[in-house]
Protein backbone atom coordinates (compact mmCIF):
# COMPACT_ATOMS: atom_id res chain seq x y z
CA UNK A 1 0.00 0.00 0.00
CA UNK A 2 1.40 3.38 -0.99
CA UNK A 3 1.04 6.20 1.52
CA UNK A 4 -0.67 9.34 0.26
CA UNK A 5 0.22 12.92 1.25
CA UNK A 6 -2.83 12.94 3.48
CA UNK A 7 -1.82 9.82 5.42
CA UNK A 8 -1.19 11.74 8.64
CA UNK A 9 -2.03 8.73 10.76
CA UNK A 10 1.12 7.09 9.44
CA UNK A 11 3.12 10.21 10.06
CA UNK A 12 4.04 10.68 6.40
CA UNK A 13 2.93 14.27 6.10
CA UNK A 14 4.22 15.25 9.53
CA UNK A 15 7.46 13.33 9.51
CA UNK A 16 8.36 13.83 5.87
CA UNK A 17 9.06 17.57 5.85
CA UNK A 18 10.75 17.35 9.25
CA UNK A 19 12.99 14.57 8.02
CA UNK A 20 13.74 16.58 4.91
CA UNK A 21 14.77 19.24 7.35
CA UNK A 22 12.35 21.67 5.96
CA UNK A 23 14.93 20.99 3.48
CA UNK A 24 16.98 18.78 5.78
CA UNK A 25 17.69 16.31 3.00
CA UNK A 26 19.00 19.16 0.89
CA UNK A 27 21.13 20.39 3.78
CA UNK A 28 22.48 16.87 4.19
CA UNK A 29 23.41 16.85 0.53
CA UNK A 30 25.07 20.23 0.86
CA UNK A 31 27.08 19.00 3.83
CA UNK A 32 28.08 15.88 1.91
CA UNK A 33 29.14 18.04 -1.03
CA UNK A 34 31.18 20.31 1.25
CA UNK A 35 32.89 17.28 2.76
CA UNK A 36 33.65 15.94 -0.70
CA UNK A 37 35.16 19.29 -1.71
CA UNK A 38 37.32 19.27 1.41
CA UNK A 39 38.46 15.72 0.66
CA UNK A 40 39.42 16.65 -2.91
CA UNK A 41 41.30 19.73 -1.71
CA UNK A 42 43.19 17.62 0.84
CA UNK A 43 44.19 15.25 -1.95
CA UNK A 44 45.25 18.10 -4.21
CA UNK A 45 47.40 19.45 -1.37
CA UNK A 46 49.58 16.34 -1.90
CA UNK A 47 49.77 16.87 -5.67
CA UNK A 48 53.47 17.67 -5.89
CA UNK A 49 54.31 14.53 -3.91
CA UNK A 50 51.75 12.23 -5.51
CA UNK A 51 52.24 13.35 -9.10
CA UNK A 52 55.34 15.56 -9.05
CA UNK A 53 57.85 13.03 -7.72
CA UNK A 54 58.58 14.84 -4.44
CA UNK A 55 58.19 11.63 -2.41
CA UNK A 56 60.75 9.93 -4.60
CA UNK A 57 63.17 12.81 -5.15
CA UNK A 58 63.12 14.16 -1.60
CA UNK A 59 61.17 17.38 -2.13
CA UNK A 60 58.35 16.63 0.32
CA UNK A 61 59.52 19.24 2.83
CA UNK A 62 60.12 21.85 0.16
CA UNK A 63 56.58 21.51 -1.17
CA UNK A 64 54.94 20.80 2.18
CA UNK A 65 53.26 17.63 0.90
CA UNK A 66 54.63 15.10 3.37
CA UNK A 67 52.39 12.16 4.35
CA UNK A 68 53.07 9.16 6.61
CA UNK A 69 50.86 7.00 4.41
CA UNK A 70 53.34 6.53 1.55
CA UNK A 71 56.64 5.87 3.40
CA UNK A 72 55.03 3.62 6.03
CA UNK A 73 53.73 1.42 3.24
CA UNK A 74 57.37 0.46 2.72
CA UNK A 75 58.68 0.81 6.24
CA UNK A 76 56.09 -1.51 7.78
CA UNK A 77 56.32 -4.07 4.97
CA UNK A 78 52.71 -3.58 3.90
CA UNK A 79 53.69 -3.93 0.27
CA UNK A 80 55.22 -7.31 1.04
CA UNK A 81 52.12 -8.63 2.77
CA UNK A 82 53.24 -8.06 6.38
CA UNK A 83 50.40 -8.11 8.90
CA UNK A 84 50.60 -5.28 11.46
CA UNK A 85 51.24 -6.51 15.01
CA UNK A 86 51.55 -10.16 13.94
CA UNK A 87 54.53 -9.70 11.61
CA UNK A 88 55.78 -6.24 12.48
CA UNK A 89 55.51 -3.87 15.43
CA UNK A 90 53.17 -0.97 14.67
CA UNK A 91 53.25 2.35 16.50
CA UNK A 92 49.51 3.03 16.09
CA UNK A 93 46.44 1.68 17.90
CA UNK A 94 44.92 -1.43 16.37
CA UNK A 95 42.09 0.09 14.35
CA UNK A 96 44.52 2.35 12.51
CA UNK A 97 46.81 -0.62 11.92
CA UNK A 98 43.81 -2.54 10.63
CA UNK A 99 42.99 0.21 8.16
CA UNK A 100 46.60 0.27 6.94
CA UNK A 101 46.51 -3.48 6.38
CA UNK A 102 43.09 -3.44 4.69
CA UNK A 103 44.21 -0.79 2.23
CA UNK A 104 47.40 -2.71 1.44
CA UNK A 105 45.49 -5.94 0.85
CA UNK A 106 43.03 -4.12 -1.39
CA UNK A 107 45.79 -3.18 -3.84
CA UNK A 108 47.88 -6.35 -3.47
CA UNK A 109 46.54 -7.72 -6.77
CA UNK A 110 48.43 -4.99 -8.65
CA UNK A 111 51.97 -5.54 -9.95
CA UNK A 112 54.70 -4.63 -7.48
CA UNK A 113 56.27 -1.21 -7.80
CA UNK A 114 55.51 2.46 -7.40
CA UNK A 115 52.16 2.13 -9.10
CA UNK A 116 50.87 -0.13 -6.34
CA UNK A 117 52.28 2.14 -3.62
CA UNK A 118 50.59 5.14 -5.20
CA UNK A 119 47.34 3.17 -5.49
CA UNK A 120 47.64 2.40 -1.79
CA UNK A 121 47.88 6.11 -1.06
CA UNK A 122 44.98 6.91 -3.38
CA UNK A 123 42.71 4.31 -1.83
CA UNK A 124 43.65 5.45 1.68
CA UNK A 125 42.91 9.04 0.64
CA UNK A 126 39.49 7.98 -0.66
CA UNK A 127 38.61 6.19 2.59
CA UNK A 128 39.81 9.12 4.69
CA UNK A 129 37.80 11.39 2.41
CA UNK A 130 34.69 9.42 3.32
CA UNK A 131 35.67 9.80 6.97
CA UNK A 132 35.85 13.56 6.46
CA UNK A 133 32.38 13.58 4.93
CA UNK A 134 31.04 11.64 7.93
CA UNK A 135 32.64 14.17 10.29
CA UNK A 136 31.24 17.10 8.31
CA UNK A 137 27.68 15.75 8.21
CA UNK A 138 27.80 14.70 11.87
CA UNK A 139 29.15 18.04 13.07
CA UNK A 140 26.57 19.89 10.98
CA UNK A 141 23.78 17.76 12.42
CA UNK A 142 24.81 18.37 16.04
CA UNK A 143 25.35 22.10 15.53
CA UNK A 144 22.08 22.42 13.65
CA UNK A 145 20.20 20.94 16.60
CA UNK A 146 21.83 23.35 19.05
CA UNK A 147 24.63 21.14 20.41
CA UNK A 148 24.83 17.77 22.11
CA UNK A 149 21.95 18.67 24.42
CA UNK A 150 19.97 20.47 21.73
CA UNK A 151 16.45 19.41 20.85
CA UNK A 152 15.40 22.01 18.32
CA UNK A 153 14.59 21.40 14.67
CA UNK A 154 17.68 21.39 12.51
CA UNK A 155 18.67 24.89 11.50
CA UNK A 156 20.30 24.97 8.07
CA UNK A 157 22.49 28.02 8.73
CA UNK A 158 24.06 26.58 11.89
CA UNK A 159 24.50 23.16 10.28
CA UNK A 160 26.16 24.57 7.16
CA UNK A 161 28.45 26.92 9.07
CA UNK A 162 29.72 24.23 11.42
CA UNK A 163 29.95 21.51 8.77
CA UNK A 164 31.50 23.87 6.27
CA UNK A 165 34.17 24.85 8.77
CA UNK A 166 35.09 21.20 9.33
CA UNK A 167 35.22 20.58 5.59
CA UNK A 168 37.09 23.67 4.48
CA UNK A 169 39.15 24.92 7.43
CA UNK A 170 42.53 25.67 5.81
CA UNK A 171 44.54 23.78 8.39
CA UNK A 172 42.29 20.73 8.04
CA UNK A 173 42.65 20.72 4.26
CA UNK A 174 46.44 20.93 4.52
CA UNK A 175 46.79 18.21 7.17
CA UNK A 176 43.96 15.84 6.27
CA UNK A 177 46.16 13.22 4.61
CA UNK A 178 49.31 13.44 6.71
CA UNK A 179 48.20 10.46 8.79
CA UNK A 180 45.10 8.36 9.50
CA UNK A 181 43.59 10.71 12.11
CA UNK A 182 40.38 11.28 10.15
CA UNK A 183 39.31 7.72 10.97
CA UNK A 184 39.22 8.52 14.69
CA UNK A 185 37.64 11.92 14.02
CA UNK A 186 34.78 10.36 12.03
CA UNK A 187 34.15 7.69 14.67
CA UNK A 188 34.16 10.22 17.51
CA UNK A 189 31.78 12.60 15.73
CA UNK A 190 29.50 9.66 14.92
CA UNK A 191 29.55 8.74 18.61
CA UNK A 192 28.62 12.29 19.53
CA UNK A 193 25.71 12.18 17.08
CA UNK A 194 24.43 9.03 18.80
CA UNK A 195 24.89 10.70 22.19
CA UNK A 196 22.87 13.72 21.06
CA UNK A 197 20.06 11.34 20.05
CA UNK A 198 20.09 9.52 23.38
CA UNK A 199 21.59 6.31 22.00
CA UNK A 200 24.13 5.85 24.77
CA UNK A 201 25.27 2.30 24.05
CA UNK A 202 25.89 3.11 20.39
CA UNK A 203 27.63 6.34 21.37
CA UNK A 204 29.92 4.45 23.71
CA UNK A 205 30.69 1.79 21.13
CA UNK A 206 31.69 4.38 18.53
CA UNK A 207 33.79 6.33 21.03
CA UNK A 208 35.49 3.07 22.01
CA UNK A 209 36.27 2.35 18.36
CA UNK A 210 37.56 5.91 17.95
CA UNK A 211 39.88 5.31 20.91
CA UNK A 212 41.04 2.12 19.19
CA UNK A 213 42.12 4.31 16.26
CA UNK A 214 43.68 7.20 18.23
CA UNK A 215 43.86 7.68 21.97
CA UNK A 216 42.42 11.18 22.30
CA UNK A 217 38.65 10.32 22.08
CA UNK A 218 38.92 8.68 25.49
CA UNK A 219 39.42 12.15 26.95
CA UNK A 220 35.69 12.77 26.50
CA UNK A 221 34.94 10.72 29.59
CA UNK A 222 36.50 13.28 31.92
CA UNK A 223 34.05 16.09 31.05
CA UNK A 224 31.16 13.63 30.86
CA UNK A 225 31.96 12.40 34.37
CA UNK A 226 32.22 15.98 35.66
CA UNK A 227 28.80 16.90 34.27
CA UNK A 228 27.37 13.68 35.72
CA UNK A 229 28.69 14.64 39.16
CA UNK A 230 27.27 18.14 38.70
CA UNK A 231 23.88 16.64 37.91
CA UNK A 232 23.96 14.48 41.03
CA UNK A 233 24.84 17.61 43.01
CA UNK A 234 22.63 20.28 41.44
CA UNK A 235 19.80 18.40 39.67
CA UNK A 236 19.80 20.67 36.60
CA UNK A 237 18.65 18.19 34.01
CA UNK A 238 22.15 17.21 32.93
CA UNK A 239 23.38 13.73 31.98
CA UNK A 240 22.30 11.14 34.56
CA UNK A 241 24.76 8.67 36.01
CA UNK A 242 23.14 5.82 34.10
CA UNK A 243 23.95 7.51 30.80
CA UNK A 244 27.57 7.94 31.80
CA UNK A 245 27.81 4.27 32.74
CA UNK A 246 26.18 3.14 29.49
CA UNK A 247 28.56 5.20 27.38
CA UNK A 248 31.56 4.03 29.37
CA UNK A 249 30.51 0.38 29.21
CA UNK A 250 29.81 0.59 25.49
CA UNK A 251 33.22 2.15 24.88
CA UNK A 252 35.02 -0.43 27.00
CA UNK A 253 33.26 -3.30 25.23
CA UNK A 254 33.97 -1.98 21.73
CA UNK A 255 37.58 -1.14 22.53
CA UNK A 256 38.16 -4.58 24.03
CA UNK A 257 36.47 -6.31 21.10
CA UNK A 258 39.02 -4.98 18.61
CA UNK A 259 42.04 -4.95 20.93
CA UNK A 260 41.77 -8.25 22.78
CA UNK A 261 42.28 -10.53 19.74
CA UNK A 262 45.41 -8.60 18.74
CA UNK A 263 46.70 -8.60 22.30
CA UNK A 264 46.22 -12.35 22.62
CA UNK A 265 47.91 -13.01 19.27
CA UNK A 266 50.86 -10.62 19.67
CA UNK A 267 50.98 -8.99 23.12
CA UNK A 268 54.43 -7.44 22.73
CA UNK A 269 53.72 -5.82 19.37
CA UNK A 270 50.25 -4.77 20.51
CA UNK A 271 51.87 -2.79 23.33
CA UNK A 272 54.21 -0.95 20.94
CA UNK A 273 51.91 2.07 20.82
CA UNK A 274 51.95 2.46 24.60
CA UNK A 275 55.71 1.92 24.90
CA UNK A 276 56.39 4.29 22.04
CA UNK A 277 54.20 6.97 23.61
CA UNK A 278 56.05 6.65 26.91
CA UNK A 279 59.60 6.36 25.57
CA UNK A 280 59.66 8.85 22.71
CA UNK A 281 61.40 12.12 23.42
CA UNK A 282 60.34 15.70 22.93
CA UNK A 283 59.01 15.97 19.38
CA UNK A 284 58.35 18.68 16.85
CA UNK A 285 55.52 21.03 17.74
CA UNK A 286 55.81 20.61 21.48
CA UNK A 287 56.27 23.70 23.61
CA UNK A 288 59.09 21.81 25.34
CA UNK A 289 60.97 21.75 22.05
CA UNK A 290 60.86 25.54 21.86
CA UNK A 291 61.74 26.02 25.53
CA UNK A 292 64.62 23.58 25.19
CA UNK A 293 65.95 25.43 22.17
CA UNK A 294 65.94 28.66 24.16
CA UNK A 295 67.74 26.94 27.04
CA UNK A 296 64.77 27.38 29.39
CA UNK A 297 63.96 23.70 29.83
CA UNK A 298 65.92 20.45 29.67
CA UNK A 299 63.95 18.91 26.81
CA UNK A 300 66.43 16.04 26.58
CA UNK A 301 65.54 14.69 30.02
CA UNK A 302 62.77 12.21 29.19
CA UNK A 303 61.70 11.69 32.80
CA UNK A 304 61.41 15.45 33.31
CA UNK A 305 59.45 15.87 30.09
CA UNK A 306 57.03 13.05 30.96
CA UNK A 307 56.56 14.31 34.52
CA UNK A 308 56.04 17.90 33.38
CA UNK A 309 53.58 16.91 30.68
CA UNK A 310 51.58 14.69 33.01
CA UNK A 311 51.60 17.20 35.85
CA UNK A 312 50.52 20.17 33.75
CA UNK A 313 47.79 18.11 32.09
CA UNK A 314 46.45 17.03 35.48
CA UNK A 315 46.39 20.65 36.65
CA UNK A 316 44.65 21.78 33.48
CA UNK A 317 42.05 19.01 33.75
CA UNK A 318 41.47 19.88 37.40
CA UNK A 319 40.81 23.50 36.43
CA UNK A 320 38.41 22.39 33.68
CA UNK A 321 36.65 20.11 36.17
CA UNK A 322 36.17 23.03 38.56
CA UNK A 323 34.81 25.07 35.68
CA UNK A 324 32.33 22.32 34.88
CA UNK A 325 31.26 21.96 38.49
CA UNK A 326 31.20 25.56 39.68
CA UNK A 327 30.11 27.62 36.68
CA UNK A 328 26.75 29.23 37.42
CA UNK A 329 25.31 27.79 34.23
CA UNK A 330 26.06 24.21 33.25
CA UNK A 331 28.70 24.35 30.49
CA UNK A 332 27.90 22.39 27.33
CA UNK A 333 29.66 19.04 27.16
CA UNK A 334 31.20 19.91 23.79
CA UNK A 335 32.93 22.97 25.23
CA UNK A 336 34.48 21.00 28.09
CA UNK A 337 35.62 18.27 25.70
CA UNK A 338 37.24 20.86 23.47
CA UNK A 339 39.07 22.34 26.46
CA UNK A 340 40.37 18.95 27.61
CA UNK A 341 41.60 17.92 24.16
CA UNK A 342 43.26 21.32 23.69
CA UNK A 343 44.90 20.99 27.10
CA UNK A 344 46.14 17.52 26.16
CA UNK A 345 47.80 18.91 23.03
CA UNK A 346 49.28 21.98 24.70
CA UNK A 347 50.87 19.96 27.51
CA UNK A 348 51.96 16.99 25.42
CA UNK A 349 55.52 16.28 24.25
CA UNK A 350 54.17 15.59 20.76
CA UNK A 351 52.00 17.97 18.75
CA UNK A 352 52.03 16.86 15.14
CA UNK A 353 50.48 19.23 12.56
CA UNK A 354 47.62 16.83 11.76
CA UNK A 355 46.43 16.92 15.37
CA UNK A 356 44.53 20.06 14.41
CA UNK A 357 42.00 17.62 12.94
CA UNK A 358 41.14 16.57 16.49
CA UNK A 359 40.22 20.15 17.39
CA UNK A 360 38.35 21.32 14.29
CA UNK A 361 34.98 19.55 14.84
CA UNK A 362 35.14 20.14 18.59
CA UNK A 363 35.88 23.83 18.05
CA UNK A 364 32.97 24.11 15.63
CA UNK A 365 30.64 22.56 18.22
CA UNK A 366 32.10 24.67 21.03
CA UNK A 367 31.36 27.94 19.21
CA UNK A 368 30.61 30.53 21.94
CA UNK A 369 26.96 31.09 22.74
CA UNK A 370 27.21 34.42 24.58
CA UNK A 371 30.18 36.14 22.91
CA UNK A 372 29.64 38.47 19.99
CA UNK A 373 29.97 36.53 16.72
CA UNK A 374 32.50 39.00 15.36
CA UNK A 375 34.83 38.45 18.32
CA UNK A 376 34.51 34.67 18.07
CA UNK A 377 35.10 34.74 14.32
CA UNK A 378 38.24 36.85 14.77
CA UNK A 379 39.68 34.34 17.25
CA UNK A 380 38.85 31.44 14.94
CA UNK A 381 40.53 33.20 12.00
CA UNK A 382 43.59 33.90 14.15
CA UNK A 383 43.72 30.23 15.14
CA UNK A 384 43.51 28.98 11.58
CA UNK A 385 46.14 31.48 10.43
CA UNK A 386 48.47 30.31 13.19
CA UNK A 387 47.90 26.65 12.26
CA UNK A 388 48.65 27.34 8.60
CA UNK A 389 51.81 29.24 9.54
CA UNK A 390 52.87 26.32 11.69
CA UNK A 391 52.13 23.86 8.88
CA UNK A 392 54.39 25.80 6.54
CA UNK A 393 57.01 26.34 9.23
CA UNK A 394 57.42 22.72 10.34
CA UNK A 395 58.32 21.49 6.86
CA UNK A 396 60.72 24.34 6.27
CA UNK A 397 62.34 23.66 9.64
CA UNK A 398 62.68 19.97 8.83
CA UNK A 399 64.23 20.98 5.53
CA UNK A 400 66.70 23.15 7.41
CA UNK A 401 67.51 20.37 9.88
CA UNK A 402 67.98 17.80 7.12
CA UNK A 403 70.45 20.08 5.33
CA UNK A 404 72.21 20.87 8.57
CA UNK A 405 72.86 17.16 9.15
CA UNK A 406 74.01 16.49 5.58
CA UNK A 407 77.83 16.25 5.47
CA UNK A 408 77.80 16.87 1.73
CA UNK A 409 76.13 20.22 2.21
CA UNK A 410 78.25 23.33 2.56
CA UNK A 411 75.78 24.67 5.08
CA UNK A 412 72.07 24.92 5.81
CA UNK A 413 71.09 27.34 3.06
CA UNK A 414 67.43 26.32 2.83
CA UNK A 415 64.61 26.06 5.28
CA UNK A 416 63.65 27.77 8.51
CA UNK A 417 66.14 27.97 11.40
CA UNK A 418 65.10 27.32 14.98
CA UNK A 419 64.39 30.98 15.77
CA UNK A 420 61.76 31.26 13.03
CA UNK A 421 60.30 27.84 13.75
CA UNK A 422 59.99 28.61 17.46
CA UNK A 423 57.94 31.71 16.60
CA UNK A 424 55.38 29.81 14.54
CA UNK A 425 55.32 27.03 17.16
CA UNK A 426 54.62 29.46 19.99
CA UNK A 427 52.20 31.34 17.76
CA UNK A 428 50.10 28.22 17.33
CA UNK A 429 50.28 27.57 21.07
CA UNK A 430 49.08 31.11 21.76
CA UNK A 431 46.25 30.90 19.23
CA UNK A 432 44.90 27.67 20.74
CA UNK A 433 45.25 29.22 24.19
CA UNK A 434 43.21 32.22 22.98
CA UNK A 435 40.51 29.89 21.68
CA UNK A 436 40.45 28.14 25.05
CA UNK A 437 40.20 31.48 26.86
CA UNK A 438 37.26 32.46 24.65
CA UNK A 439 35.55 29.16 25.50
CA UNK A 440 36.14 29.62 29.23
CA UNK A 441 34.72 33.14 29.10
CA UNK A 442 31.64 31.80 27.34
CA UNK A 443 31.22 29.10 30.00
CA UNK A 444 31.41 31.68 32.80
CA UNK A 445 29.07 34.27 31.31
CA UNK A 446 25.46 34.17 32.40
CA UNK A 447 23.95 36.38 29.72
CA UNK A 448 21.39 35.26 27.17
CA UNK A 449 22.71 32.51 24.98
CA UNK A 450 22.24 32.68 21.24
CA UNK A 451 20.21 29.83 19.76
Amino acid sequence: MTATPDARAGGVEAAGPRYMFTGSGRIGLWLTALGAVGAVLAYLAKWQCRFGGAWIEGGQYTYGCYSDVFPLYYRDGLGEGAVPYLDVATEYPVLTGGLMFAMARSVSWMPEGLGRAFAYFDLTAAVLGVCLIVAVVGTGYIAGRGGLDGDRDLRPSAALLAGGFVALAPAAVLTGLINWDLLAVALLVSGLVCYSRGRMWAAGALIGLATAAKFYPFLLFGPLFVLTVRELWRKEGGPPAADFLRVLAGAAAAWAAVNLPVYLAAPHNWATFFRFSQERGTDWGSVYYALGGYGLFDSGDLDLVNATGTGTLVLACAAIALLGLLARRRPPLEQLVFLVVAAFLMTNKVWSPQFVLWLVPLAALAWPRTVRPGVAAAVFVLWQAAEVCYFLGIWQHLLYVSHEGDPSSAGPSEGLPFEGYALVLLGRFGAVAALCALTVVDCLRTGRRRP
Side-chain angles (χ1 to χ4, degrees):
M1 178 178 178
T2 303
T4 65
D6 294 326
R8 292 179 182 271
V12 176
E13 173 83 356
R18 286 174 65 85
Y19 173 76
M20 289 301 288
F21 233 111
T22 316
S24 73
R26 290 193 298 273
I27 299 304
L29 291 176
W30 275 109
L31 288 171
T32 300
L34 286 171
V37 170
V40 170
L41 291 176
Y43 184 76
L44 294 177
K46 306 301 178 189
W47 182 275
Q48 195 61 36
C49 280
R50 171 61 180 85
F51 298 101
W55 279 333
I56 310 303
E57 300 167 1
Q60 55 190 354
Y61 297 152
T62 301
Y63 295 103
C65 55
Y66 174 83
S67 172
D68 288 324
V69 175
F70 184 79
L72 266 58
Y73 176 76
Y74 290 102
R75 190 201 71 177
D76 290 351
L78 296 170
E80 301 168 1
V83 180
Y85 313 105
L86 297 183
D87 298 328
V88 61
T90 304
E91 66 190 63
Y92 299 110
V94 297
L95 213 57
T96 295
L99 177 61
M100 295 164 64
F101 177 69
M103 298 299 96
R105 293 298 300 168
S106 297
V107 300
S108 61
W109 58 271
M110 299 179 64
E112 292 186 15
L114 279 176
R116 189 164 74 181
F118 284 137
Y120 169 77
F121 174 80
D122 292 343
L123 182 59
T124 300
V127 171
L128 294 178
V130 173
C131 291
L132 176 62
I133 292 172
V134 170
V136 168
V137 175
T139 304
Y141 174 82
I142 296 170
R145 294 184 72 246
L148 291 174
D149 294 328
D151 57 0
R152 69 189 186 193
D153 289 339
L154 285 161
R155 297 193 178 184
S157 59
L160 288 173
L161 284 173
F165 177 72
V166 175
L168 303 175
V173 168
L174 292 172
T175 63
L177 296 179
I178 290 179
N179 201 280
W180 293 268
D181 296 68
L182 281 172
L183 174 62
V185 172
L187 288 169
L188 176 60
V189 172
S190 299
L192 294 177
V193 169
C194 290
Y195 180 89
S196 72
R197 294 176 61 85
R199 298 174 180 177
M200 300 304 168
W201 286 103
L206 287 165
I207 294 168
L209 293 176
T211 306
K214 292 283 180 178
F215 173 78
Y216 85 95
F218 182 75
L219 296 170
L220 174 142
F221 288 101
L224 186 57
F225 176 74
V226 167
L227 292 183
T228 300
V229 172
R230 179 180 175 120
E231 174 60 18
L232 292 172
W233 174 27
R234 297 198 175 189
K235 305 295 184 183
E236 298 172 317
D243 282 355
F244 171 78
L245 294 175
R246 291 187 186 99
V247 176
L248 182 61
W255 185 88
V258 296
N259 276 272
L260 188 58
V262 180
Y263 172 76
L264 294 176
H268 184 77
N269 285 349
W270 172 84
T272 298
F273 165 72
F274 301 99
R275 289 196 306 273
F276 182 67
S277 300
Q278 179 67 23
E279 297 171 0
R280 71 189 300 181
T282 302
D283 208 69
W284 317 109
S286 165
V287 67
Y288 310 119
Y289 180 85
L291 296 177
Y294 285 125
L296 301 174
F297 183 82
D298 186 1
S299 58
D301 186 335
L302 180 58
D303 291 336
L304 176 63
V305 171
N306 286 337
T308 303
T310 301
T312 52
L313 177 60
V314 168
L315 290 175
C317 289
I320 295 168
L322 289 175
L323 174 67
L325 290 172
L326 302 179
R328 293 180 63 185
R329 179 177 297 182
R330 177 169 59 89
L333 174 61
E334 52 268 38
Q335 290 190 327
L336 296 184
V337 173
F338 168 77
L339 289 173
V340 169
V341 174
F344 177 77
L345 291 176
M346 295 171 71
T347 60
N348 204 357
K349 60 184 176 182
V350 181
W351 193 348
S352 299
Q354 73 271 13
F355 290 175
V356 67
L357 297 169
W358 304 0
L359 291 178
V360 166
L362 298 176
L365 295 176
W367 179 270
R369 275 76 163 173
T370 65
V371 178
R372 291 182 180 179
V375 174
V379 176
F380 270 68
V381 169
L382 172 66
W383 169 46
Q384 283 298 295
E387 291 282 2
V388 170
C389 288
Y390 178 78
F391 175 86
L392 300 174
I394 177 60
W395 308 125
Q396 289 302 306
H397 184 57
L398 289 175
L399 179 64
Y400 178 90
V401 171
S402 63
H403 280 200
E404 190 177 37
D406 184 359
S408 65
S409 176
S413 57
E414 294 185 76
L416 186 66
F418 168 78
E419 292 76 13
Y421 174 65
L423 287 178
V424 296
L425 187 160
L426 295 174
R428 176 180 65 166
F429 186 96
V432 174
L435 200 58
C436 291
L438 181 72
T439 305
V440 170
V441 168
D442 189 60
C443 290
L444 291 174
R445 296 184 69 179
T446 58
R448 184 178 66 86
R449 297 198 167 212
R450 293 181 176 83

